[in-house]
């Protein structure tokens, strides 16, 4: 089977707002969440597919500092090193440091892509959900019924489809799993501030939210052409399911 082209959507944000009633809004460092990008990416490359990175303005993507901690990898130094090495290889060989600005990808070029993937980290909260060009891109994949995957905070980007066309949320009625409000409240306790909620925003837009729950921390949900996952523990399974969808 010939390789297929997969578009990977990244955020340009390196911080997100943390709201605190006593100190006001503060900026918290963020970026792409390393395992959520690297695990599905590794599986796509191993299957022989080609990847193209894109972001709102084409700025150099930065990792979420927390995603590079050994705690994130349960102390597995070698796993972390493999994933960091993969991103470095992408910088050298696949233009990772200079993603394609969304506006540079024409409607005609979109036809050359077989699928699209959006990793998480808090960065999508800042610049993906309201991006008109991303809305145009995601509406294309939706209309053509092409595999679309998003994990953790990544599903917030789906809201961008409301910024173009008829203004409707094209994933209304879809079952979606994302970083839950309950999980975000744990982060709020740790960071001592309030964070915009992905799950609530998607539900308010008309999505049918499917929570992972404690017994399903690695939950993934497939609804029509859309595959979503709840948190970093879902990255492995989401990558495997996504590759199967792309490879059909």
């Amino acid at each position: 089977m010939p390789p297929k082209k997969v578009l990977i959507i990244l955020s340009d944000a390196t911080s997100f707002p943390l709201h605190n009633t006593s100190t006001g809004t503060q900026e918290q460092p963020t970026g792409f969440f390393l395992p959520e990008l690297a695990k599905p990416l590794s599986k796509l490359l191993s299957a022989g597919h080609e990847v193209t990175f894109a972001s709102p303005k084409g700025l150099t993507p930065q990792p979420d500092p927390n995603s590079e901690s050994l705690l994130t990898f349960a102390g597995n130094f070698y796993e972390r090193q493999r994933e960091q090495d993969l991103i470095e290889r992408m910088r050298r060989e696949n233009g990772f440091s200079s993603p394609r600005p969304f506006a540079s990808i024409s409607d005609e070029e979109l036809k050359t892509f077989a699928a699209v993937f959006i990793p998480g980290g808090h960065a999508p909260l800042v610049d993906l959900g309201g991006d008109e060009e991303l809305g145009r891109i995601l509406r294309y994949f939706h209309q053509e019924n092409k595999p679309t995957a998003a994990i953790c905070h990544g599903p917030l980007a789906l809201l961008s489809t409301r910024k173009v066309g008829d203004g409707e949320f094209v994933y209304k009625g879809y079952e979606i799993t994302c970083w839950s409000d309950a999980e975000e409240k744990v982060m709020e306790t740790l960071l001592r501030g309030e964070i915009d909620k992905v799950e609530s925003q998607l539900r308010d837009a008309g999505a049918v939210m499917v929570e992972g729950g404690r017994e399903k921390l690695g939950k993934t949900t497939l609804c029509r052409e859309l595959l979503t996952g709840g948190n970093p523990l879902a990255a492995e399974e989401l990558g495997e399911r996504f590759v199967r969808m792309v490879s059909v």
Side-chain angles (χ1 to χ4, degrees):
M1 179 178 294
K4 296 182 179 179
K5 291 177 60 177
V6 178
L7 186 62
I8 298 183
I9 300 298
L10 299 170
S11 166
D12 287 327
T14 57
S15 65
F16 71 96
L18 182 68
H19 310 291
N20 190 301
T21 54
S22 58
T23 61
T25 299
Q26 299 174 329
E27 291 297 313
Q28 187 73 20
T30 191
F32 64 86
F33 207 81
L34 179 58
E36 294 174 358
L37 171 59
K39 284 181 171 61
L41 172 60
S42 177
K43 294 182 185 301
L44 287 168
L45 295 173
S46 295
H49 299 303
E50 302 174 5
V51 298
T52 297
F53 299 99
S55 72
K57 298 178 181 179
L59 304 183
T60 300
Q62 301 296 326
D64 185 311
N66 290 327
S67 75
E68 294 193 300
S69 72
L70 270 179
L71 182 61
T72 296
F73 292 89
N76 190 330
F77 171 85
Y78 299 103
E79 182 182 2
R80 180 179 69 174
Q81 192 63 51
R82 282 194 300 272
E83 297 193 355
Q84 290 175 327
D85 289 347
L86 174 60
I87 299 303
E88 286 306 309
R89 179 159 70 88
M90 293 298 98
R91 294 187 195 280
R92 295 192 306 270
E93 302 174 5
N94 284 62
F96 185 81
S97 294
S98 302
R100 294 279 304 278
F102 293 153
S104 74
I105 304 174
S106 67
D107 291 346
E108 192 64 27
E109 186 180 359
L110 279 177
K111 297 177 183 178
T112 69
F113 290 98
V116 61
F117 167 54
I118 312 164
H122 283 89
L125 295 174
V126 179
D127 62 356
L128 295 188
D131 190 283
E132 290 185 15
E133 288 295 334
L134 180 56
R136 171 181 64 88
I137 290 169
L138 293 179
R139 273 180 172 258
Y140 163 77
F141 285 96
H142 168 71
Q143 290 164 1
E144 297 299 318
N145 198 37
K146 290 186 175 183
T148 301
I151 186 170
C152 203
H153 292 78
L156 185 82
L158 303 173
L159 294 174
S160 66
T161 59
R162 300 184 299 183
K163 298 298 180 178
V164 291
D166 59 6
E168 289 295 314
F169 179 49
V170 301
Y171 301 99
K172 186 176 182 179
Y174 275 61
E175 293 185 348
I176 296 176
T177 296
C178 70
W179 183 254
S180 69
D181 289 0
E183 289 169 308
E184 200 69 274
K185 287 177 182 177
V186 173
M187 290 299 299
E188 289 178 334
T189 300
L190 294 173
L191 297 177
R192 299 181 180 179
E194 292 186 7
I195 303 170
D196 297 333
K197 308 296 190 301
V198 180
E199 182 184 11
S200 291
Q201 291 187 65
L202 288 168
R203 181 181 289 111
D204 290 346
V208 178
M209 302 310 298
V210 181
E211 294 186 27
R214 288 186 177 181
E215 73 283 0
K216 296 180 180 178
L217 290 176
K219 171 79 172 173
T220 62
T221 297
L222 177 61
C223 186
R224 286 170 268 184
E225 84 283 5
L226 180 64
L227 175 67
T228 52
N231 52 40
L233 294 176
E236 193 82 26
E237 180 178 309
L238 181 134
E240 291 174 355
R241 297 185 76 178
F242 189 48
V243 166
R244 290 197 294 271
M245 292 169 68
V246 174
S247 300
V248 171

